[in-house]
Amino acid sequence: MPNEKVLEQKKQIVADLAEKLKTACAGVVVDYKGISVTDDTKLRKELREAGVDYSVVKNTLLGRAADEAGLPDLKAVLEGTTAIAISKEDHTAAARILKKYADDHENFKLKSGFLDGKVIDLATVEALAKLPTREVLLATVLSAFNAPIAAFARAVQAIVDKNGAPEEAAE
């Protein structure tokens, strides 16, 4: 039986993790076994730069935190080595980075995830990973809005070019 100090530390870890799960917009659970320290360091750096919190966690602690956060279905994948990547702002960052990493490393596997307070399956995590970044999506939308205006400006310019500039008509 663990002593009181260890038990309190574990309760605090569960409470902190549950709070992260509650406030996150998305997260991905992975099986991280068989990766080198160098690869792990690169992965952590890329996730950190994308604003994703990545940590290795014990299955029992994550299971209790998932219960507290209203994600009990997440416990179904908690076996073996487990790490979790949690994003507060970008819905696709963790899935995109971890999917790319899993494709390049045979032993690194995606398990499951959550999105806006609901557990999602592996297929949904992989679909989420294929979505472009928020910036790319915004650029695409803005480009779509800008296209009609640009076409109108080209049409007006063509009319001016065809009929001659106003100064030329005055001469």
Side-chain angles (χ1 to χ4, degrees):
M1 172 119 177
N3 69 29
E4 197 64 34
K5 184 177 179 183
V6 171
L7 194 58
E8 285 304 314
Q9 288 174 337
K10 288 183 178 183
K11 284 181 181 178
Q12 187 59 48
I13 290 169
V14 169
D16 292 346
L17 190 53
E19 185 60 29
K20 285 181 184 180
L21 293 173
K22 287 178 192 174
T23 60
C25 66
V28 178
V29 179
V30 297
D31 182 349
Y32 68 91
K33 70 179 170 217
I35 62 172
S36 69
V37 172
T38 305
D39 287 342
D40 187 53
T41 303
K42 288 178 189 174
L43 175 64
R44 287 175 184 268
K45 181 179 185 283
E46 188 175 352
L47 288 165
R48 193 172 37 254
E49 287 172 354
V52 177
D53 180 24
Y54 178 80
S55 58
V56 172
V57 64
K58 290 187 176 190
N59 290 326
T60 54
L61 298 179
L62 181 54
R64 290 181 183 189
D67 279 339
E68 280 187 33
L71 299 167
D73 295 341
L74 204 57
K75 294 191 308 188
V77 298
L78 299 181
E79 56 186 40
T81 56
T82 302
I84 187 164
I86 300 170
S87 178
K88 288 187 176 187
E89 296 175 8
D90 190 341
H91 289 77
T92 63
R96 189 177 55 257
I97 293 167
L98 293 171
K99 170 76 169 111
K100 180 179 75 171
Y101 193 80
D103 290 343
D104 295 340
H105 295 82
E106 183 179 323
N107 293 328
F108 191 89
K109 303 223 182 315
L110 302 176
K111 291 183 178 182
S112 183
F114 65 93
L115 185 63
D116 292 330
K118 293 190 175 41
V119 175
I120 55 176
D121 62 1
L122 182 58
T124 307
V125 172
E126 290 177 352
L128 194 61
K130 293 177 185 174
L131 291 175
T133 64
R134 182 176 189 270
E135 290 76 22
V136 171
L137 286 173
L138 286 174
T140 304
V141 168
L142 291 175
S143 166
F145 284 144
N146 195 25
I149 296 168
F152 176 73
R154 284 192 297 274
V156 169
Q157 186 62 46
I159 292 170
V160 169
D161 291 345
K162 181 179 177 185
N163 295 331
E167 303 98 37
E168 293 173 7
E171 291 178 8

